[in-house]
PDB file of all heavy atoms in Angstrom:
ATOM      1  N   ASP A  99     -47.881  79.925 129.730  1.00 92.00           N
ATOM      2  CA  ASP A  99     -47.803  78.515 129.322  1.00 92.00           C
ATOM      3  C   ASP A  99     -47.326  77.659 130.497  1.00 92.00           C
ATOM      4  O   ASP A  99     -46.140  77.658 130.851  1.00 92.00           O
ATOM      5  CB  ASP A  99     -46.821  78.381 128.143  1.00 92.00           C
ATOM      6  CG  ASP A  99     -46.725  76.946 127.636  1.00 92.00           C
ATOM      7  OD1 ASP A  99     -47.529  76.089 128.095  1.00 92.00           O
ATOM      8  OD2 ASP A  99     -45.841  76.672 126.798  1.00 92.00           O
ATOM      9  N   TRP A 100     -48.262  76.940 131.110  1.00 92.00           N
ATOM     10  CA  TRP A 100     -47.933  76.105 132.261  1.00 92.00           C
ATOM     11  C   TRP A 100     -47.128  74.857 131.870  1.00 92.00           C
ATOM     12  O   TRP A 100     -46.598  74.172 132.748  1.00 92.00           O
ATOM     13  CB  TRP A 100     -49.217  75.675 132.980  1.00 92.00           C
ATOM     14  CG  TRP A 100     -49.749  76.770 133.872  1.00 92.00           C
ATOM     15  CD1 TRP A 100     -50.734  77.650 133.583  1.00 92.00           C
ATOM     16  CD2 TRP A 100     -49.303  77.085 135.200  1.00 92.00           C
ATOM     17  NE1 TRP A 100     -50.951  78.503 134.628  1.00 92.00           N
ATOM     18  CE2 TRP A 100     -50.071  78.176 135.639  1.00 92.00           C
ATOM     19  CE3 TRP A 100     -48.328  76.552 136.040  1.00 92.00           C
ATOM     20  CZ2 TRP A 100     -49.904  78.745 136.902  1.00 92.00           C
ATOM     21  CZ3 TRP A 100     -48.147  77.121 137.299  1.00 92.00           C
ATOM     22  CH2 TRP A 100     -48.929  78.202 137.722  1.00 92.00           C
ATOM     23  N   ASP A 101     -47.030  74.571 130.582  1.00 89.00           N
ATOM     24  CA  ASP A 101     -46.279  73.399 130.144  1.00 89.00           C
ATOM     25  C   ASP A 101     -44.829  73.719 129.786  1.00 89.00           C
ATOM     26  O   ASP A 101     -44.067  72.820 129.411  1.00 89.00           O
ATOM     27  CB  ASP A 101     -46.965  72.764 128.916  1.00 89.00           C
ATOM     28  CG  ASP A 101     -48.335  72.223 129.271  1.00 89.00           C
ATOM     29  OD1 ASP A 101     -48.493  71.693 130.392  1.00 89.00           O
ATOM     30  OD2 ASP A 101     -49.268  72.328 128.429  1.00 89.00           O
ATOM     31  N   ALA A 102     -44.458  74.998 129.894  1.00 91.00           N
ATOM     32  CA  ALA A 102     -43.096  75.392 129.540  1.00 91.00           C
ATOM     33  C   ALA A 102     -42.086  74.788 130.509  1.00 91.00           C
ATOM     34  O   ALA A 102     -42.392  74.505 131.673  1.00 91.00           O
ATOM     35  CB  ALA A 102     -42.985  76.921 129.553  1.00 91.00           C
ATOM     36  N   GLU A 103     -40.867  74.588 130.023  1.00 89.00           N
ATOM     37  CA  GLU A 103     -39.807  74.026 130.862  1.00 89.00           C
ATOM     38  C   GLU A 103     -39.446  74.991 131.995  1.00 89.00           C
ATOM     39  O   GLU A 103     -39.130  74.568 133.113  1.00 89.00           O
ATOM     40  CB  GLU A 103     -38.561  73.753 130.009  1.00 89.00           C
ATOM     41  CG  GLU A 103     -38.679  72.543 129.114  1.00 89.00           C
ATOM     42  CD  GLU A 103     -38.791  71.243 129.918  1.00 89.00           C
ATOM     43  OE1 GLU A 103     -38.071  71.113 130.940  1.00 89.00           O
ATOM     44  OE2 GLU A 103     -39.606  70.404 129.540  1.00 89.00           O
ATOM     45  N   GLU A 104     -39.487  76.267 131.693  1.00 94.00           N
ATOM     46  CA  GLU A 104     -39.162  77.296 132.689  1.00 94.00           C
ATOM     47  C   GLU A 104     -40.357  78.240 132.803  1.00 94.00           C
ATOM     48  O   GLU A 104     -40.816  78.796 131.800  1.00 94.00           O
ATOM     49  CB  GLU A 104     -37.908  78.073 132.272  1.00 94.00           C
ATOM     50  CG  GLU A 104     -37.434  79.056 133.337  1.00 94.00           C
ATOM     51  CD  GLU A 104     -36.099  79.688 132.959  1.00 94.00           C
ATOM     52  OE1 GLU A 104     -35.053  79.116 133.315  1.00 94.00           O
ATOM     53  OE2 GLU A 104     -36.126  80.753 132.309  1.00 94.00           O
ATOM     54  N   LEU A 105     -40.854  78.409 134.012  1.00 95.00           N
ATOM     55  CA  LEU A 105     -42.022  79.264 134.264  1.00 95.00           C
ATOM     56  C   LEU A 105     -41.536  80.587 134.832  1.00 95.00           C
ATOM     57  O   LEU A 105     -40.818  80.618 135.844  1.00 95.00           O
ATOM     58  CB  LEU A 105     -42.968  78.589 135.259  1.00 95.00           C
ATOM     59  CG  LEU A 105     -43.449  77.184 134.891  1.00 95.00           C
ATOM     60  CD1 LEU A 105     -44.319  76.607 136.000  1.00 95.00           C
ATOM     61  CD2 LEU A 105     -44.224  77.195 133.570  1.00 95.00           C
ATOM     62  N   THR A 106     -41.929  81.676 134.181  1.00 95.00           N
ATOM     63  CA  THR A 106     -41.477  83.005 134.615  1.00 95.00           C
ATOM     64  C   THR A 106     -42.640  83.789 135.212  1.00 95.00           C
ATOM     65  O   THR A 106     -43.697  83.934 134.580  1.00 95.00           O
ATOM     66  CB  THR A 106     -40.876  83.789 133.429  1.00 95.00           C
ATOM     67  OG1 THR A 106     -39.752  83.055 132.908  1.00 95.00           O
ATOM     68  CG2 THR A 106     -40.420  85.170 133.883  1.00 95.00           C
ATOM     69  N   PHE A 107     -42.427  84.310 136.418  1.00 96.00           N
ATOM     70  CA  PHE A 107     -43.433  85.116 137.111  1.00 96.00           C
ATOM     71  C   PHE A 107     -42.838  86.491 137.407  1.00 96.00           C
ATOM     72  O   PHE A 107     -41.682  86.591 137.829  1.00 96.00           O
ATOM     73  CB  PHE A 107     -43.858  84.446 138.429  1.00 96.00           C
ATOM     74  CG  PHE A 107     -44.479  83.088 138.236  1.00 96.00           C
ATOM     75  CD1 PHE A 107     -43.684  81.940 138.203  1.00 96.00           C
ATOM     76  CD2 PHE A 107     -45.845  82.953 138.090  1.00 96.00           C
ATOM     77  CE1 PHE A 107     -44.239  80.695 138.032  1.00 96.00           C
ATOM     78  CE2 PHE A 107     -46.417  81.690 137.908  1.00 96.00           C
ATOM     79  CZ  PHE A 107     -45.616  80.551 137.869  1.00 96.00           C
TER      80      PHE A 107
END
Side-chain angles (χ1 to χ4, degrees):
D99 182 8
W100 280 98
D101 295 323
E103 285 295 319
E104 186 174 271
L105 305 177
T106 300
F107 299 88

